[in-house]
Amino acid sequence: MPDTRRYRYKVFKWIACTLLSVFIVLAGIAWLLNVKSRPILTDRIKTLLYKSTDSLYTISFTKVSTNVFTGNATLQNVKIIPDTNRFKQLIALKRAPNNLYTVSLKKLVVKHFHPLTLYREKKLQLEEIIFDKPEVTMVNQQFAFNEGRAPRPIKSPYDIISKSLNEFSIKSIRFKDVSFKYINKNVPNSVPFSIDDLNITLTDLLVDSTSAEDPTRFYLLKDIVINLNNYVYRTPDKMYDIQLDKLDFRATTGKLRINSFALVPQHDEMNFGKVAGFAKERFNIKMSDIMLNGIDLPLYISKQELWAKEMAITNGFVSVFNHNGLPKKHQENKVGKFPHQLLQLLDAPILVQKIQLKDINVNYAVYNNESNQKGQISFEHTSGIIKNATNLEKIKAINPIMEVNLNTYLFGQGKLDVNFIFDLTAKDGAFSYNGVLHNFNARVLNQITKPLGLVRINRGSVDKLKFNFKANDLGAKGTVAFSYYDLSVALMKNDPEKDHLVTRGFLSFLANALIIKSENPGADGKLVPVTVNYSRPANTSFFNMIWKSLFTGIKYSIGITEEKQNEVREHIAKFKAMRANHMQRKQKRLERRIRRERQQNEKR
C-alpha cells in the first residue's frame, strides 16, 4: 500500500512539473511574440496611415502594449496630425480632401488584431478600435475640383498597401465622448463651432482589391452611427440655453432622430427685458420627436451642406413675449429678420424639401404699460407643411418660393387655415399671407383686446374672417373681410386706485352708438371688406406685423376707423364743453346764492 501511494505521488509530481514547464514555455513564447509583435504592429500602423492617406497624415504615440493571447493592443498619447506642406501639394495636384483633421487622445485601444493572420496571410484584421475621449478638430475648405466626386477615395488605398498587405479591415471604430471642433475656412472670420460628449461609430472598414468601388460603401465604410446625449449650449449673450436630448443618426438609412430640442430663456418673462436693458422679445421654444429623412451624408461631410428629403416635428410649442413697458432699443433694427430672411443668413447651407408639423402650440404675448396687463394670442394644435426650406443659391435659381400651409385653432376654438408664400430671393423680404378664420365666440378675443386695446367684447359671434396680404420690410397691404353679428363692446381704462381695468361708461355708449357696427353684413346683406395699409415700424418683429395688420383690419371692419374715432372725439369734446359750461353756470348760481345769504345776514 505504501508503494502505491509513492507511485501516485510520483505521477502527480511528474504531471505538475510537465504542466508548469508547458506553461513556462507558452509564457515565454507569448512574451516573445508580444515583444516581437510590438515593433511590427507599430510599423504597420504608422506605415498604413501614412500610405493610405497619400502621405497626408502621420500618427505618433509614446508607448504600445500588446497581448498575444487576447489580441489586444493599447497606444498611449496618440496624435494624428496632417502635414500642411503635403496638403498644399495635394491642392496643386487637385487631390486634396475638403476636410483636414487633427486628432489627439490619451489612449487608443485595439482589440483582437489577429497577429498570426497578419504574419501568415498578410491580412491586418482588427475587431475594434476605441478612441477614448479624443479631441478632434476639423477644418473645412471646399475645392472646386471635388465637386460631384463620389463618396470614395480618389486613389484606392489598396494600391498603396498592396505591396505589404492583402487586406486591412476593422469591424468597428468607436469614438467615445468626442470633443469636436469645426472650423469653416469658406467664410471669412467665421466663429469655430464646438461640441462635446459626441459618440461616433464607424462600421466595417475594408481596404482590399474591390472595396473602393463597392457602391454599398462610402469612404470604404458600411455604416456611420452618431449619438449625442443631453447636449447643452449657452448662447454668447448668456440669455438662452440650447438643449438637445438624445440625437441618433445612421448613415445607411439617412435618418436623424432627436428626442427633443429646446431654446430655454435664462430669465422669466418680466425680467428678461430688464436684464437685456430694453424691450427685447423673449423666445421659449421646445420641439419633440424630430425626424429628418434622406440626409445626404457624403455631401454634408465634404461641403457641410445639409440636404434632407423630409423633416417631421411632432409636439412642441413656440412662445414669444415682449415687455412693452421697457424702453425701446432704438438702434435695434429688425428689418431683414423675417423667417425666410433669417434662413438666408444661416452660415450652414441647407435644403429640406418638406417639413411636416403636427400639434405645435404658438403663443404671442405683450405686456402693455398702459393697462399693466399681459395680452396674448394663441394658436393651438398647429399642423401643416413647409416646402422648399433652403438658402442654397442653386436651388433658389430653380425654385425661389418657400410655401407654408398651416391649420390651427385660435385660442383653441376658431379654426384657422393660413398660407404663406415667401420669396427667398427678394431683397425687400417680400412675402404674402392669406387665410380663413372660421366661426367662434368673439369674447375669446378679450385675452388680447382688453390688455392691448383697452376694449372689452361684451358679446358677439364670428362667422368668418378672411384676409389676404402682401408684405415686405416696410409693411403689409391687403384686405380683410370680417363676417360677424350681435357685437357689443365696452371701452376700458386703468384705475390705479382699484388696481384693475374699469369700464368707461359714457365712451362705451358712444362707441356702440356711433362707431361699432353690430353686424357685418348689415341689413342690406352685403359683406363689406376693408383695405389695410399697415406701415411697419423698423423695430417690430414678424409676429408683431402679422398681428397688427390683422388687428387693424378687424378694427376697421367693426367701425373703429380714424374718421369714426375723430367723430367720437368731437362728440367727447362737445360733451366736455357742455359739461364745463354746465359746471360754470352751476358755480355761478352757487356764488349768487351765497352772496344773497350774506346780504340777508348783514341786514339782520
Side-chain angles (χ1 to χ4, degrees):
M1 194 70 180
D3 292 338
T4 303
R5 286 198 295 269
R6 279 198 297 270
Y7 175 76
R8 288 177 179 176
Y9 173 74
K10 289 181 180 179
V11 170
F12 174 78
K13 183 178 179 180
W14 180 84
I15 293 173
C17 291
T18 301
L19 290 175
L20 180 60
S21 300
V22 170
F23 177 79
I24 292 173
V25 171
L26 289 176
I29 294 172
W31 177 84
L32 181 64
L33 287 175
N34 276 333
V35 171
K36 292 291 186 180
S37 66
R38 287 172 192 169
I40 295 174
L41 183 63
T42 299
D43 180 69
R44 292 288 188 183
I45 292 173
K46 290 183 176 181
T47 303
L48 183 64
L49 181 68
Y50 184 74
K51 288 186 176 181
S52 64
T53 60
D54 207 356
S55 308
L56 180 57
Y57 288 96
T58 58
I59 183 172
S60 65
F61 38 88
T62 58
K63 182 181 178 182
V64 57
S65 305
T66 59
N67 187 318
V68 72
F69 287 121
T70 60
N72 295 345
T74 302
L75 284 66
Q76 304 287 345
N77 300 314
V78 180
K79 290 186 178 181
I80 301 174
I81 301 173
D83 185 335
T84 54
N85 291 326
R86 179 56 178 165
F87 187 60
K88 293 175 182 178
Q89 294 173 359
L90 292 175
I91 293 174
L93 295 170
K94 297 185 178 180
R95 297 210 309 260
N98 284 355
N99 297 318
L100 204 60
Y101 298 90
T102 301
V103 181
S104 64
L105 66 157
K106 294 288 185 182
K107 183 174 68 174
L108 185 151
V109 178
V110 179
K111 292 189 175 182
H112 309 303
F113 59 84
H114 307 298
L116 294 179
T117 305
L118 173 63
Y119 300 147
R120 294 174 179 175
E121 303 178 29
K122 296 174 66 175
K123 292 182 178 180
L124 181 53
Q125 297 176 333
L126 311 178
E127 291 295 325
E128 186 176 39
I129 293 182
I130 300 174
F131 290 76
D132 191 18
K133 297 181 179 179
E135 296 178 0
V136 180
T137 299
M138 184 181 85
V139 180
N140 179 258
Q141 185 176 354
Q142 296 172 19
F143 300 109
F145 52 76
N146 283 331
E147 277 291 328
R149 277 185 173 163
R152 55 180 61 99
I154 297 171
K155 185 178 181 181
S156 173
Y158 181 74
D159 297 336
I160 301 170
I161 69 169
S162 59
K163 293 181 180 179
S164 55
L165 288 174
N166 293 328
E167 178 187 300
F168 171 57
S169 64
I170 309 174
K171 289 297 183 184
S172 175
I173 304 173
R174 295 173 58 200
F175 292 80
K176 295 172 58 179
D177 299 330
V178 180
S179 294
F180 181 80
K181 182 178 181 180
Y182 167 68
I183 300 173
N184 186 356
K185 281 293 187 78
N186 307 291
V187 179
N189 303 318
S190 65
V191 178
F193 170 76
S194 298
I195 190 171
D196 295 326
D197 302 323
L198 193 65
N199 295 293
I200 304 172
T201 301
L202 312 179
T203 304
D204 193 9
L205 172 69
L206 177 63
V207 179
D208 65 8
S209 58
T210 63
S211 62
E213 300 301 323
D214 186 347
T216 66
R217 295 179 179 272
F218 38 90
Y219 306 111
L220 306 175
L221 298 162
K222 274 292 186 180
D223 204 356
I224 298 176
V225 179
I226 300 174
N227 305 105
L228 179 64
N229 294 319
N230 302 321
Y231 172 70
V232 178
Y233 171 73
R234 180 67 54 86
T235 57
D237 61 4
K238 310 298 183 185
M239 301 298 284
Y240 293 97
D241 272 351
I242 296 174
Q243 299 178 355
L244 190 150
D245 175 38
K246 196 175 180 182
L247 178 150
D248 294 293
F249 172 76
R250 186 174 291 274
T252 50
T253 62
K255 289 185 177 181
L256 183 148
R257 180 186 292 276
I258 299 173
N259 275 13
S260 69
F261 167 86
L263 179 67
V264 181
Q266 295 303 292
H267 308 282
D268 62 32
E269 288 183 339
M270 297 305 292
N271 286 317
F272 187 86
K274 293 178 182 178
V275 174
F278 60 96
K280 181 181 178 67
E281 284 186 332
R282 173 187 182 271
F283 289 85
N284 188 8
I285 301 172
K286 184 173 183 179
M287 298 294 171
S288 303
D289 301 327
I290 302 171
M291 173 76 80
L292 275 86
N293 291 328
I295 294 176
D296 189 335
L297 181 63
L299 181 64
Y300 184 77
I301 291 175
S302 64
K303 300 184 67 176
Q304 274 62 65
E305 291 186 4
L306 178 59
W307 289 46
K309 293 181 180 179
E310 186 177 12
M311 181 177 185
I313 303 174
T314 304
N315 300 318
F317 64 83
V318 178
S319 180
V320 186
F321 175 80
N322 198 352
H323 192 331
N324 272 351
L326 298 174
K328 305 293 183 182
K329 186 178 181 183
H330 299 293
Q331 62 269 32
E332 185 185 30
N333 190 331
K334 293 186 179 180
V335 172
K337 295 184 179 180
F338 289 154
H340 61 309
Q341 294 173 313
L342 292 175
L343 177 61
Q344 307 313 303
L345 295 176
L346 284 178
D347 290 335
I350 185 171
L351 167 64
V352 183
Q353 296 177 11
K354 184 170 70 171
I355 302 174
Q356 292 187 321
L357 304 176
K358 185 178 180 182
D359 204 18
I360 308 296
N361 293 333
V362 181
N363 186 80
Y364 179 71
V366 176
Y367 180 81
N368 185 5
N369 204 36
E370 185 178 357
S371 65
N372 289 329
Q373 291 188 6
K374 181 177 77 170
Q376 62 182 358
I377 185 169
S378 65
F379 301 93
E380 301 176 17
H381 307 297
T382 304
S383 300
I385 294 176
I386 303 172
K387 296 179 181 178
N388 195 42
T390 186
N391 56 9
L392 295 168
E393 296 298 329
K394 54 191 172 185
I395 302 299
K396 292 188 291 182
I398 300 171
N399 180 13
I401 299 301
M402 180 174 73
E403 186 174 355
V404 180
N405 293 291
L406 302 173
N407 55 77
T408 184
Y409 291 85
L410 177 66
F411 294 111
Q413 295 190 21
K415 186 175 184 294
L416 171 63
D417 302 309
V418 62
N419 171 263
F420 292 89
I421 301 293
F422 295 100
D423 187 342
L424 300 176
T425 60
K427 294 182 179 180
D428 63 351
F431 71 99
S432 64
Y433 53 103
N434 64 80
V436 179
L437 177 60
H438 300 275
N439 60 302
F440 65 94
N441 189 324
R443 293 183 63 184
V444 301
L445 295 176
N446 282 329
Q447 296 181 55
I448 193 165
T449 60
K450 282 177 63 177
L452 301 187
L454 297 176
V455 175
R456 184 187 69 210
I457 299 174
N458 295 324
R459 63 178 184 273
S461 297
V462 176
D463 285 331
K464 188 179 293 185
L465 173 67
K466 293 183 66 176
F467 55 91
N468 192 342
F469 282 88
K470 290 184 177 181
N472 57 28
D473 287 329
L474 301 179
K477 297 180 180 179
T479 58
V480 173
F482 189 25
S483 175
Y484 62 92
Y485 62 92
D486 194 27
L487 181 64
S488 173
V489 303
L491 303 185
M492 314 293 290
K493 68 177 180 179
N494 186 30
D495 190 338
E497 295 181 358
K498 297 184 178 180
D499 196 29
H500 61 80
L501 297 178
V502 297
T503 304
R504 304 176 73 173
F506 179 71
L507 293 182
S508 298
F509 168 78
L510 288 178
N512 286 297
L514 301 175
I515 298 181
I516 302 302
K517 295 190 295 184
S518 62
E519 59 183 19
N520 188 20
D524 57 3
K526 292 182 180 180
L527 179 64
V528 181
V530 298
T531 300
V532 177
N533 188 353
Y534 176 75
S535 296
R536 174 202 180 195
N539 62 351
T540 57
S541 68
F542 173 78
F543 286 107
N544 186 277
M545 189 186 76
I546 298 294
W547 154 246
K548 286 291 182 66
S549 60
L550 289 175
F551 187 57
T552 300
I554 292 172
K555 287 198 305 180
Y556 287 0
S557 295
I558 65 176
I560 306 178
T561 62
E562 289 298 326
E563 293 79 9
K564 284 291 186 178
Q565 286 178 312
N566 289 333
E567 183 180 342
V568 169
R569 291 189 188 102
E570 291 178 2
H571 282 282
I572 292 173
K574 291 179 180 178
F575 171 76
K576 288 182 176 179
M578 291 172 57
R579 187 176 181 183
N581 189 33
H582 172 72
M583 294 299 294
Q584 188 178 16
R585 292 198 304 270
K586 184 177 180 180
Q587 181 65 26
K588 288 181 178 180
R589 288 197 299 269
L590 178 61
E591 291 174 354
R592 287 197 297 268
R593 190 182 68 184
I594 292 174
R595 282 198 300 269
R596 286 197 301 268
E597 291 177 352
R598 185 182 298 121
Q599 290 173 358
Q600 291 175 358
N601 290 333
E602 289 175 354
K603 289 179 181 180
R604 293 176 184 171

